[in-house]
């Protein structure tokens, strides 16, 4: 889950409406001491590493889940503390 897919450059329909439920589920997993894994996508400008669905947009200049942008970050409601992605890593 990343900002660009919730309310940014590449909104996926219904994602914003499901964020509250995802937040509750994450809290339940934490309470049960279960692991939570956040999978993120980082698309380099130019599109060399972009999936086919978004490739044309990124190649045309759209900045979707671009490293070091707000849109690439995980919504804070899913986290227990502020986290900045280490994009080079």
């Amino acid at each position: 889950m990343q900002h660009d897919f919730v309310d940014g450059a590449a909104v996926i329909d219904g994602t914003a409406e499901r964020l509250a439920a995802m937040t509750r589920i994450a809290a339940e997993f934490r309470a049960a001491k279960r692991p939570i894994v956040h999978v993120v996508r980082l698309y380099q400008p130019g599109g060399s590493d972009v999936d086919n669905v978004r490739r044309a947009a990124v190649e045309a200049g759209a900045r979707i889940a671009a490293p070091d942008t707000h849109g690439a970050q995980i919504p804070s409601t899913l986290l227990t503390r502020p986290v900045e992605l280490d994009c080079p890593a």
Side-chain angles (χ1 to χ4, degrees), residues 10 26 31 43 48-52 62 66 69-71 81:
Y43 299 138
S48 64
D49 63 343
V50 179
D51 55 68
N52 289 335
T69 65
H70 174 76
R81 60 182 169 73

Side-chain angles (χ1 to χ4, degrees), residues 7-28:
D7 59 8
V11 171
I12 297 172
D13 289 339
T15 302
E17 294 79 12
R18 290 175 178 85
L19 188 56
M22 290 182 234
T23 299
R24 282 191 306 277
I25 291 167
E28 290 172 12

Side-chain angles (χ1 to χ4, degrees), residues 26-35:
E28 290 172 12
F29 266 65
R30 286 186 184 96
K33 307 277 191 238
R34 303 294 303 179

Side-chain angles (χ1 to χ4, degrees), residues 42-76:
L42 295 173
Y43 299 138
Q44 297 295 328
S48 64
D49 63 343
V50 179
D51 55 68
N52 289 335
V53 173
R54 295 177 187 88
R55 183 176 304 276
V58 173
E59 286 177 345
R63 294 192 38 94
I64 300 170
D68 301 313
T69 65
H70 174 76
Q73 300 298 320
I74 299 167
S76 62

